[in-house]
Amino acid sequence: MADFIPVSAPALLGNERRYVDECIDSTWISSIGSFIGRFEREFAGYCEVEHAVSCVNGTVALHLALLGLGIGPGDEVLVPSLTYVATANAVRYCGAEPVFVDSDPSTWNLDPADLRRKVTPRCRAVIAVHLYGRPAAMDEILAVAGEHGLRVVEDCAESIGAFYGGRPTGSLGDVAAFSFFGNKVITCGEGGMVLTRDAALGRTIRQLKGQGQDFERRYWFPVVGYNYRMTNIQAALGLAQLERIGDYLAARDEIASWYREELAGHPGLRLAAADGPAERSVCWLWSVVLETADPELRDEVMVRLRAAEIDSRPFFYPCHILPPYAGAGAVCPEAEWLGARGLSLPTWVGLRREQVQRVCGELLRALDATACAGSAARAAGE
Ligand SMILES: *Cc1c(COP(=O)(O)O)cnc(C)c1O
């Protein structure tokens, strides 16, 4: 039997063990310790943003970003429907409502034309998600935001290391949220970071993540805050990961080039459009969309890949069809089309070219087999 190929796996190839050992040897294992400040400073520097606030995960980073902007009950926040549910949930945590925006069929990111159509008088912010590592159309998003007085949050959970217009994602809006979950470009196991150029906003967010405590007066809580603190062990992992990010991004680029070589031009597959001149994507999870009218096909292909010991992931269900959000009746047909047909393939540092070839061979075989099964079923009048 061929080896099982997971869809994702962390690469822990640098100082991870040494730094975690330092935490244990020094007993600084909780949310105070030197790695926290070091990771925040190094990550801020890497993203060319002045202020970084670490936190427990990416979902919390989004929550803190929105709270920091003062988003609350009665407000609306524009969110692409095709995203991980955390983007929408963070809006709800604030007591606000997400307004779902449709996708661009070629980049899979938020469609700026639909963004413009969906703005309401209650909208106070937009969350630009850089989906699957591809930068969202920030010039257009910032233009719409400027016209309507919207604050701009970047959800960079999937785009660590991506650039837009020569600037790192995370440095383009008012505030940005990052995730260091185990399958992201760099990981702390679980972890998150909020970045902003606005010193006052950074301070507000730092206070909120530390239970709301006053910076000068211990146990004095002028506001209701949260315990959203990262541990020194998480930060130790994150710092070690960040030291190697150049290697990790290069390895992911190479994997993307292997996939493109194997699959580009196949009539049954839609690859993400090539980066525009302003864009520099990172390959988070290499993904394709099956060009088919039959929305059952993708799941059948995944079952066949799994039988060949290859793991894959479907695209996210668009948030506007999930039970907590379906009531609003949002209209996002492209997001629905993509969500039903998109597929992410194994993408992790250490994945070998032969393995990518095996994945692609099995994918094309599965496509042929399902197409045959479909036409046979139709011929049989099913
Ligand atoms: C992973 C992810 C998040 C949430 O990050 P966690 O660290 O898992 O909480 C948010 N948004 C997007 C787009 C993500 O992919």
Side-chain angles (χ1 to χ4, degrees), residues 56-62 82-88 129-132 155-159 177-184 189-192 284 316:
V56 282
N57 59 52
T59 307
V60 151
L62 285 164
L82 190 67
T83 180
Y84 184 54
V85 70
T87 319
V129 182
H130 307 298
L131 198 67
Y132 297 109
D155 181 342
C156 302
E158 303 176 2
S159 74
F178 288 81
S179 164
F180 308 113
F181 181 63
N183 70 2
K184 302 296 162 86
E190 295 269 7
W284 174 54
F316 304 119

Side-chain angles (χ1 to χ4, degrees), residues 300-367:
E300 268 176 65
V301 166
M302 288 182 63
V303 168
R304 284 174 190 270
L305 288 175
R306 194 66 184 68
E309 298 287 314
I310 292 164
D311 202 12
S312 60
R313 288 285 178 278
F315 270 19
F316 304 119
Y317 290 102
C319 294
H320 75 278
I321 70 164
L322 297 175
Y325 300 109
V331 179
C332 302
E334 293 294 345
E336 284 178 34
W337 198 92
L338 292 166
R341 290 164 181 79
L343 182 66
S344 299
L345 298 172
T347 313
W348 38 274
V349 174
L351 186 68
R352 298 188 311 275
R353 184 168 199 152
E354 315 83 84
Q355 292 175 305
V356 169
Q357 284 166 338
R358 201 180 110 212
V359 170
C360 296
E362 293 294 345
L363 173 65
L364 296 180
R365 208 192 323 278
L367 280 176

Side-chain angles (χ1 to χ4, degrees), residues 117-184:
R117 281 193 291 273
K118 296 265 172 79
V119 180
T120 72
R122 286 173 181 262
C123 285
R124 294 208 35 223
V126 50
I127 305 182
V129 182
H130 307 298
L131 198 67
Y132 297 109
R134 188 194 184 107
M138 290 305 294
D139 284 344
E140 290 84 348
I141 292 168
L142 289 166
V144 175
E147 288 162 29
H148 295 276
L150 306 172
R151 308 302 294 272
V152 178
V153 179
E154 293 179 80
D155 181 342
C156 302
E158 303 176 2
S159 74
I160 305 168
F163 278 71
Y164 181 89
R167 297 201 47 84
T169 56
S171 71
L172 302 156
D174 293 295
V175 57
F178 288 81
S179 164
F180 308 113
F181 181 63
N183 70 2
K184 302 296 162 86

Side-chain angles (χ1 to χ4, degrees), residues 247-261:
D247 298 338
Y248 295 157
L249 291 172
R252 287 174 175 276
D253 277 351
E254 191 168 36
I255 291 166
S257 74
W258 294 335
Y259 273 119
R260 267 194 305 274
E261 217 170 286

Side-chain angles (χ1 to χ4, degrees), residues 57 111 132 135 157 199 212 233 245 261 295-296 307 326 369 376:
N57 59 52
D111 172 9
Y132 297 109
I233 296 177
I245 193 169
E261 217 170 286
E296 309 284 312

